[in-house]
Amino acid sequence: MVAGGKSEGELHGQVALVTGGTRGIGRAVAEALAEGGARVGVLARDGNRSREVAEELPGEGHAGVACDVADRERAQAAVKELEELLGPTGILVNNAGITRDNILLRLKDEEWDDVMAVNLKGAFNMTRAVTRGMMKRRSGVILNITSVVGLMGNAGQTNYAASKAGLVGFTKSVARELAPRQIRCNALAPGFIETDMTDALNEAQVEGLKEQIPLGRLGTPEDVAEVVRFLAGPHARYITGQVLAVDGGMAM
Ligand code: NAP
C-alpha cells in the first residue's frame, strides 16, 4: 500500500514484454502483468492489433509494436523501440507460437521450418535481444511458454512437440548461464487451453481430451496468466530453471 491507501501491484515499476500478446494466452498474460503494475510491451505480427491491445490493458503507459519474432533483426529493433518508449526490460514472456500439424510422413519442410522458426528461434531471438541489458542491470526474468506436448509428445505434432521440447532445454541452459547475474528463466507448460489454437477441435475431441485431464476441463488463458504473474514476480525469487505444468494434472 502507498500513502492514500491506493495499492501498488508487485510488478510496479517493471517493464514486461509479451510476444504474441494480442490473443489467447498472451493477451491474458499481458493483462495479468498490467494488473500487477507492470508497463507492458505487446508484440505480434499485426502491429495495429498490438497497439489496440496495449491501449485496452489496465493502467497506463503500455505500448504495442509489430514484430515477427522469427526475424532476428526485427526482434532486435522491436525491443529497442519498446525500450525507448517504456524503459529497460525487466520481464520477457516468450509466448508467440504456432502449429502446423501433419502426420510425420506428410509433414512438409516448410511446416517443420515455420514452427521451429517461430516457437524456438523466436524465443532465442527475443531472449538475445533483452539479455545484454538484463546482465548489466543484474536482474531480469525470462519466461518461456512451452506445452505439455513438448513433455508427452502428440501424434500429428512432431514439429510442434520438438520445438516445445527444445524450449525446455533452452530454458534450463539460459537459467544456468544467467543465474550468476541474478536473471531467472523458467518455462510454463500449459495443457489444452481454450484459445483460437484449440478452436479447431470438434466436440468429440474436446470430450476425449477432458477424459485425460484429471481436473476434468480445458484450461482458460487466465489459468496460465496468473501463474506467469507469480513466476514473474518477487514471490518466485528463488525459482529458476523449472518447467511448471499448468494443465489440470494432465502430465503428472
Ligand atoms: P493463439 O491464440 O493462436 O495466439 C497466438 C499469438 O501469437 C497471437 O497474438 C499472434 O499474433 C502471435 N504470433 C503468431 N506468430 C507470431 C510471430 N511469428 N511473431 C510474433 N507473434 C506471433 O495462441 P495461444 O493458444 O494463445 O498460444 C500461445 C502460446 O501458448 C503458444 O506458444 C502455444 O504454443 C502455447 N500453448 C498453447 C496451448 C493451447 O492449448 N492453446 C497449450 C500449450 C501451449 P499475430 O498473428 O498478429 O502475429
Side-chain angles (χ1 to χ4, degrees), residues 59-155:
E60 297 200 335
H62 312 295
V65 295
C67 177
D68 179 347
V69 295
D71 177 340
R72 173 197 168 148
E73 281 174 18
R74 184 62 205 129
Q76 263 166 347
V79 168
K80 192 160 177 272
E81 277 170 45
L82 285 170
E83 291 195 336
E84 277 165 12
L85 290 168
L86 304 175
T89 309
I91 300 160
L92 168 66
V93 185
N94 285 313
N95 165 79
I98 58 168
T99 50
R100 296 282 181 271
D101 298 352
N102 216 337
I103 57 168
L104 180 64
L105 288 179
R106 291 210 189 121
L107 196 67
K108 297 182 190 68
D109 282 6
E110 312 85 271
E111 291 168 336
W112 178 272
D113 292 343
D114 288 354
V115 165
M116 289 297 163
V118 177
N119 298 8
L120 190 51
K121 187 149 191 224
F124 166 53
N125 285 338
M126 289 297 300
T127 302
R128 185 170 45 183
V130 301
T131 296
R132 194 181 300 278
M134 286 183 175
M135 287 175 77
K136 273 194 199 141
R137 293 187 294 280
R138 294 186 165 268
S139 79
V141 177
I142 296 160
L143 298 172
N144 298 318
I145 307 297
T146 173
S147 166
V148 283
V149 167
L151 308 175
M152 302 169 69
N154 197 20

Side-chain angles (χ1 to χ4, degrees), residues 15-39:
V15 171
L17 306 190
V18 183
T19 69
T22 52
R23 291 201 301 272
I25 294 172
R27 185 186 174 133
V29 165
E31 278 174 16
L33 298 179
E35 290 282 354
R39 289 194 304 286

Side-chain angles (χ1 to χ4, degrees), residues 1 15 61 70 75 77 81 114 116 138 173 180 186 193 195 240 244-245 248:
M1 296 285 262
V15 171
E81 277 170 45
D114 288 354
M116 289 297 163
R138 294 186 165 268
S173 303
N186 291 294
I193 309 296
T195 70
T240 197
L244 187 50

